[in-house]
Amino acid sequence: GQQVMQIPQYQHVQEGEDFTTYCNSSTTLSNIQWYKQRPGGHPVFLIQLVKSGEVKKQKRLTFQFGEAKKNSSLHITATQTTDVGTYFCAGRSINQGGKLIFGQGTELSVKP
Amino acid sequence: ETGVTQTPRHLVMGMTNKKSLKCEQHLGHNAMYWYKQSAKKPLELMFVYSLEERVENNSVPSRFSPECPNSSHLFLHLHTLQPEDSALYLCASSQTWTGVTEAFFGQGTRLTVV
Protein backbone atom coordinates (compact mmCIF):
# COMPACT_ATOMS: atom_id res chain seq x y z
CA GLY A 1 0.00 0.00 0.00
CA GLN A 2 0.89 3.62 -0.18
CA GLN A 3 3.51 4.85 2.27
CA VAL A 4 4.50 8.37 3.16
CA MET A 5 7.90 8.63 4.82
CA GLN A 6 9.00 11.72 6.66
CA ILE A 7 12.45 12.64 7.96
CA PRO A 8 13.89 13.49 10.34
CA GLN A 9 11.75 12.16 13.17
CA TYR A 10 13.13 14.76 15.58
CA GLN A 11 14.95 18.04 15.14
CA HIS A 12 16.36 20.18 17.92
CA VAL A 13 17.47 23.66 16.89
CA GLN A 14 18.64 26.86 18.51
CA GLU A 15 16.26 29.74 18.07
CA GLY A 16 17.17 31.57 14.88
CA GLU A 17 18.44 28.48 13.08
CA ASP A 18 16.70 27.11 10.00
CA PHE A 19 14.72 23.85 9.92
CA THR A 20 13.69 21.52 7.11
CA THR A 21 11.55 18.40 7.07
CA TYR A 22 11.26 16.10 4.07
CA CYS A 23 8.42 13.93 2.90
CA ASN A 24 8.62 11.07 0.38
CA SER A 25 5.82 8.99 -1.04
CA SER A 26 6.04 5.52 -2.53
CA THR A 27 3.42 6.52 -5.10
CA THR A 28 2.64 9.60 -7.17
CA LEU A 29 0.44 12.04 -5.31
CA SER A 30 -2.44 14.13 -6.57
CA ASN A 31 -1.72 16.68 -3.87
CA ILE A 32 0.11 17.04 -0.59
CA GLN A 33 -0.90 18.82 2.57
CA TRP A 34 1.06 19.99 5.60
CA TYR A 35 -0.24 20.11 9.15
CA LYS A 36 1.18 21.35 12.44
CA GLN A 37 0.36 19.81 15.80
CA ARG A 38 1.38 21.76 18.89
CA PRO A 39 2.25 19.75 22.02
CA GLY A 40 -1.01 18.52 23.54
CA GLY A 41 -2.99 19.78 20.57
CA HIS A 42 -4.49 18.46 17.37
CA PRO A 43 -3.25 18.70 13.77
CA VAL A 44 -4.02 22.01 12.13
CA PHE A 45 -3.92 22.48 8.37
CA LEU A 46 -1.14 24.72 7.09
CA ILE A 47 -1.14 24.48 3.31
CA GLN A 48 -1.85 22.34 0.26
CA LEU A 49 0.28 21.87 -2.84
CA VAL A 50 -1.20 20.53 -6.06
CA LYS A 51 1.01 21.33 -9.02
CA SER A 52 4.28 19.67 -9.95
CA GLY A 53 7.21 21.82 -8.77
CA GLU A 54 4.92 24.15 -6.84
CA VAL A 55 6.44 26.43 -4.20
CA LYS A 56 4.36 28.32 -1.65
CA LYS A 57 5.40 30.63 1.15
CA GLN A 58 3.77 31.59 4.41
CA LYS A 59 5.93 34.19 6.14
CA ARG A 60 9.00 32.21 7.30
CA LEU A 61 7.65 28.86 6.00
CA THR A 62 8.43 27.64 2.48
CA PHE A 63 6.70 24.57 1.06
CA GLN A 64 7.79 22.71 -2.06
CA PHE A 65 6.23 19.94 -4.11
CA GLY A 66 8.60 17.86 -6.21
CA GLU A 67 8.54 17.72 -9.98
CA ALA A 68 7.54 14.05 -9.91
CA LYS A 69 4.86 14.75 -7.26
CA LYS A 70 6.34 12.12 -4.96
CA ASN A 71 8.17 14.32 -2.49
CA SER A 72 7.77 17.55 -0.62
CA SER A 73 9.58 19.70 1.90
CA LEU A 74 8.84 22.31 4.52
CA HIS A 75 11.55 24.82 5.36
CA ILE A 76 11.34 27.26 8.26
CA THR A 77 13.74 30.20 8.20
CA ALA A 78 15.00 31.62 11.50
CA THR A 79 12.97 29.42 13.84
CA GLN A 80 11.15 30.89 16.80
CA THR A 81 9.90 29.20 19.97
CA THR A 82 6.37 29.47 18.60
CA ASP A 83 7.38 27.04 15.83
CA VAL A 84 7.62 24.18 18.33
CA GLY A 85 5.44 21.21 17.46
CA THR A 86 5.16 18.24 15.14
CA TYR A 87 4.88 18.86 11.42
CA PHE A 88 3.07 16.26 9.34
CA CYS A 89 2.85 15.88 5.62
CA ALA A 90 -0.17 14.08 4.21
CA GLY A 91 -0.57 12.91 0.66
CA ARG A 92 -3.42 11.76 -1.51
CA SER A 93 -2.40 9.03 -3.92
CA ILE A 94 -3.76 9.25 -7.45
CA ASN A 95 -4.21 5.47 -7.41
CA GLN A 96 -5.78 4.72 -4.06
CA GLY A 97 -9.14 6.39 -3.92
CA GLY A 98 -7.80 9.68 -2.70
CA LYS A 99 -7.54 8.82 0.97
CA LEU A 100 -5.19 11.04 2.93
CA ILE A 101 -2.11 9.20 4.21
CA PHE A 102 0.00 10.90 6.88
CA GLY A 103 3.74 10.75 7.34
CA GLN A 104 5.20 9.97 10.75
CA GLY A 105 5.79 13.63 11.48
CA THR A 106 8.86 15.61 12.45
CA GLU A 107 8.94 16.87 16.01
CA LEU A 108 10.64 20.25 16.22
CA SER A 109 11.99 21.65 19.45
CA VAL A 110 13.48 25.15 19.61
CA LYS A 111 15.87 26.20 22.34
CA PRO A 112 15.62 29.90 23.17
CA GLU B 1 -12.10 26.18 17.60
CA THR B 2 -12.04 24.14 14.39
CA GLY B 3 -15.73 23.41 14.02
CA VAL B 4 -15.15 19.77 14.95
CA THR B 5 -16.02 18.84 18.53
CA GLN B 6 -15.07 15.61 20.22
CA THR B 7 -16.30 14.24 23.54
CA PRO B 8 -15.10 13.16 25.96
CA ARG B 9 -11.65 14.75 25.93
CA HIS B 10 -10.26 12.08 28.25
CA LEU B 11 -11.47 8.54 28.90
CA VAL B 12 -10.16 5.77 31.12
CA MET B 13 -11.80 2.42 30.65
CA GLY B 14 -11.28 -1.15 31.72
CA MET B 15 -10.83 -3.93 29.23
CA THR B 16 -14.36 -5.23 29.83
CA ASN B 17 -16.08 -1.85 29.53
CA LYS B 18 -18.14 -0.53 26.66
CA LYS B 19 -17.85 3.15 25.83
CA SER B 20 -18.44 5.46 22.89
CA LEU B 21 -16.55 8.41 21.47
CA LYS B 22 -18.56 11.18 19.88
CA CYS B 23 -17.67 13.62 17.13
CA GLU B 24 -19.76 16.46 15.77
CA GLN B 25 -18.91 18.84 12.95
CA HIS B 26 -20.58 22.16 12.24
CA LEU B 27 -18.90 22.81 8.91
CA GLY B 28 -21.37 21.25 6.51
CA HIS B 29 -18.78 18.74 5.37
CA ASN B 30 -19.67 15.49 3.64
CA ALA B 31 -16.79 13.33 4.88
CA MET B 32 -15.80 12.34 8.39
CA TYR B 33 -12.85 10.30 9.66
CA TRP B 34 -11.48 8.49 12.67
CA TYR B 35 -7.72 8.50 13.15
CA LYS B 36 -5.67 6.83 15.84
CA GLN B 37 -2.51 8.57 17.04
CA SER B 38 -0.17 6.48 19.17
CA ALA B 39 3.13 7.66 20.60
CA LYS B 40 5.96 7.54 18.06
CA LYS B 41 3.62 6.43 15.25
CA PRO B 42 2.02 8.25 12.33
CA LEU B 43 -1.64 9.07 12.27
CA GLU B 44 -3.44 5.86 11.38
CA LEU B 45 -6.60 6.18 9.35
CA MET B 46 -9.26 3.92 10.84
CA PHE B 47 -12.53 4.72 9.12
CA VAL B 48 -13.88 7.11 6.50
CA TYR B 49 -17.51 8.02 6.00
CA SER B 50 -18.80 9.94 3.02
CA LEU B 51 -22.42 11.08 3.11
CA GLU B 52 -23.05 8.67 5.98
CA GLU B 53 -21.71 5.66 4.09
CA ARG B 54 -18.52 3.93 5.12
CA VAL B 55 -16.06 4.15 2.26
CA GLU B 56 -12.89 3.02 3.97
CA ASN B 57 -12.15 0.47 6.66
CA ASN B 58 -8.46 -0.04 7.22
CA SER B 59 -8.38 -3.51 8.76
CA VAL B 60 -9.42 -2.20 12.14
CA PRO B 61 -10.19 -4.81 14.85
CA SER B 62 -13.88 -5.43 15.39
CA ARG B 63 -13.65 -4.15 18.96
CA PHE B 64 -13.85 -0.72 17.28
CA SER B 65 -17.25 -0.11 15.72
CA PRO B 66 -18.04 3.16 13.93
CA GLU B 67 -21.45 4.68 13.44
CA CYS B 68 -22.47 7.65 11.32
CA PRO B 69 -26.15 8.45 11.86
CA ASN B 70 -25.98 11.64 9.78
CA SER B 71 -23.38 13.75 8.03
CA SER B 72 -22.71 15.85 11.14
CA HIS B 73 -22.17 13.11 13.69
CA LEU B 74 -19.73 10.27 13.99
CA PHE B 75 -19.34 7.77 16.80
CA LEU B 76 -16.73 5.19 17.67
CA HIS B 77 -18.08 2.42 19.86
CA LEU B 78 -15.48 0.64 21.95
CA HIS B 79 -15.73 -2.75 23.64
CA THR B 80 -13.29 -5.23 25.14
CA LEU B 81 -10.31 -3.06 24.31
CA GLN B 82 -6.69 -3.93 24.98
CA PRO B 83 -4.05 -1.79 26.71
CA GLU B 84 -2.32 -1.28 23.35
CA ASP B 85 -5.45 0.54 22.19
CA SER B 86 -4.54 3.42 24.48
CA ALA B 87 -3.96 6.41 22.21
CA LEU B 88 -5.30 9.76 21.09
CA TYR B 89 -8.34 9.24 18.87
CA LEU B 90 -8.88 12.07 16.45
CA CYS B 91 -11.98 12.82 14.46
CA ALA B 92 -11.71 14.91 11.32
CA SER B 93 -13.98 16.17 8.58
CA SER B 94 -13.51 17.51 5.09
CA GLN B 95 -15.71 18.83 2.32
CA THR B 96 -15.29 15.60 0.37
CA TRP B 97 -13.19 12.53 0.99
CA THR B 98 -11.27 12.78 -2.25
CA GLY B 99 -9.80 15.63 -4.18
CA VAL B 100 -8.18 18.79 -2.92
CA THR B 101 -9.90 19.33 0.40
CA GLU B 102 -8.24 19.91 3.73
CA ALA B 103 -9.07 18.03 6.90
CA PHE B 104 -10.29 19.79 10.03
CA PHE B 105 -9.46 17.91 13.21
CA GLY B 106 -11.20 17.84 16.54
CA GLN B 107 -9.17 18.12 19.72
CA GLY B 108 -9.18 14.38 20.20
CA THR B 109 -10.10 11.93 22.93
CA ARG B 110 -7.19 10.70 25.02
CA LEU B 111 -8.08 7.06 25.73
CA THR B 112 -6.40 4.97 28.39
CA VAL B 113 -7.26 1.29 28.65
CA VAL B 114 -6.42 -0.25 31.99
Side-chain angles (χ1 to χ4, degrees):
Chain A
Q2 178 195 359
Q3 288 190 329
V4 177
M5 307 299 293
Q6 200 173 341
I7 57 170
Q9 191 173 355
Y10 303 98
Q11 186 78 60
H12 308 285
V13 300
Q14 195 74 37
E15 189 173 22
E17 291 181 339
D18 292 356
F19 159 76
T20 305
T21 173
Y22 300 90
C23 185
N24 289 286
S25 170
S26 57
T27 60
T28 303
L29 302 171
S30 60
N31 60 75
I32 194 156
Q33 301 175 355
W34 286 91
Y35 293 78
K36 177 183 178 181
Q37 185 174 18
R38 293 182 187 276
H42 58 277
V44 175
F45 175 81
L46 293 176
I47 208 161
Q48 178 167 260
L49 303 168
V50 179
K51 299 176 184 175
S52 169
E54 189 170 12
V55 178
K56 286 189 176 180
K57 292 191 176 186
Q58 287 180 349
K59 297 183 180 178
R60 294 177 295 103
L61 278 61
T62 302
F63 303 85
Q64 290 188 311
F65 200 10
E67 294 290 340
K69 301 184 76 172
K70 296 180 76 172
N71 58 74
S72 182
S73 65
L74 158 59
H75 179 81
I76 302 179
T77 304
T79 54
Q80 300 175 359
T81 54
T82 53
D83 296 325
V84 164
T86 301
Y87 292 85
F88 293 95
C89 62
R92 290 188 192 275
S93 170
I94 60 175
N95 295 323
Q96 296 197 12
K99 63 183 181 182
L100 200 59
I101 302 298
F102 281 79
Q104 304 97 311
T106 296
E107 185 178 338
L108 172 65
S109 64
V110 180
K111 185 182 284 188
Chain B
E1 181 59 51
T2 65
V4 180
T5 304
Q6 285 186 246
T7 54
R9 294 289 306 279
H10 301 273
L11 178 62
V12 179
M13 60 185 288
M15 289 189 284
T16 59
N17 291 160
K18 288 185 180 181
K19 296 286 184 183
S20 295
L21 309 185
K22 179 182 176 182
C23 178
E24 184 175 0
Q25 58 101 355
H26 309 278
L27 301 168
H29 288 166
N30 292 326
M32 296 187 76
Y33 313 78
W34 280 116
Y35 283 90
K36 175 184 178 183
Q37 187 174 37
S38 305
K40 314 302 182 188
K41 287 187 176 181
L43 284 158
E44 300 172 58
L45 180 62
M46 300 175 72
F47 301 104
V48 182
Y49 276 83
S50 176
L51 296 171
E52 301 147 49
E53 285 197 24
R54 192 189 306 182
V55 295
E56 189 75 30
N57 177 357
N58 276 9
S59 303
V60 179
S62 60
R63 56 186 184 270
F64 295 91
S65 174
E67 179 190 0
C68 188
N70 56 62
S71 59
S72 299
H73 293 86
L74 186 65
F75 295 90
L76 188 61
H77 303 299
L78 316 171
H79 63 98
T80 59
L81 294 192
Q82 305 297 313
E84 60 264 29
D85 297 322
S86 298
L88 180 68
Y89 288 84
L90 290 160
C91 173
S93 73
S94 63
Q95 189 61 52
T96 63
W97 85 285
T98 60
V100 289
T101 59
E102 68 193 79
F104 291 79
F105 285 84
Q107 293 178 307
T109 295
R110 174 70 62 185
L111 173 67
T112 304
V113 181
V114 297

